[in-house]
């Protein structure tokens, strides 16, 4: 997942946002599937995905991802002692 995220950041750096989004989605999916949606590393990956959507000016995806992120953060908070 980390390699996928670095690739995404590289594409974002050269302003190939469509490819950056594709790799960042893949990185997030790997973390979500292996760690769970409420894991701190997955939440960080989710935030990075939101910023990639912002860079790509995909505002509908930004809103959807932020809504999902808020839900996952609530779940993580409920798991705290």
């Amino acid at each position: 997942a980390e390699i996928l995220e670095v690739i995404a950041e590289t594409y974002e750096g050269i302003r190939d946002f469509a490819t950056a989004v594709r790799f960042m989605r893949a990185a997030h999916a790997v973390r979500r599937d292996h760690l769970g949606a409420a894991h701190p590393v997955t939440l960080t990956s989710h935030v990075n995905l939101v910023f990639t959507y912002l860079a790509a000016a995909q505002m509908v995806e930004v809103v959807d991802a932020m809504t999902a992120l808020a839900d996952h953060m609530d779940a993580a908070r409920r798991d705290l002692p």
Side-chain angles (χ1 to χ4, degrees):
E2 187 171 336
I3 291 171
L4 292 170
E5 198 163 282
V6 168
I7 293 169
E9 291 167 354
T10 301
Y11 277 109
E12 189 173 330
I14 62 170
R15 305 186 64 76
D16 182 347
F17 298 117
T19 304
V21 165
R22 195 168 71 242
F23 277 97
M24 195 62 77
R25 281 182 185 154
H28 178 257
V30 167
R31 288 184 171 124
R32 184 192 61 230
D33 293 348
H34 290 279
L35 301 173
H39 190 279
V41 172
T42 306
L43 292 172
T44 300
S45 180
H46 202 138
V47 169
N48 293 338
L49 178 59
V50 169
F51 281 111
T52 303
Y53 284 143
L54 278 170
Q58 296 181 4
M59 295 306 136
V60 171
E61 288 82 358
V62 169
V63 172
D64 291 345
M66 290 294 291
T67 301
L69 179 59
D71 292 343
H72 298 314
M73 290 178 78
D74 283 343
R77 190 174 23 245
R78 285 192 297 272
D79 291 342
L80 293 174

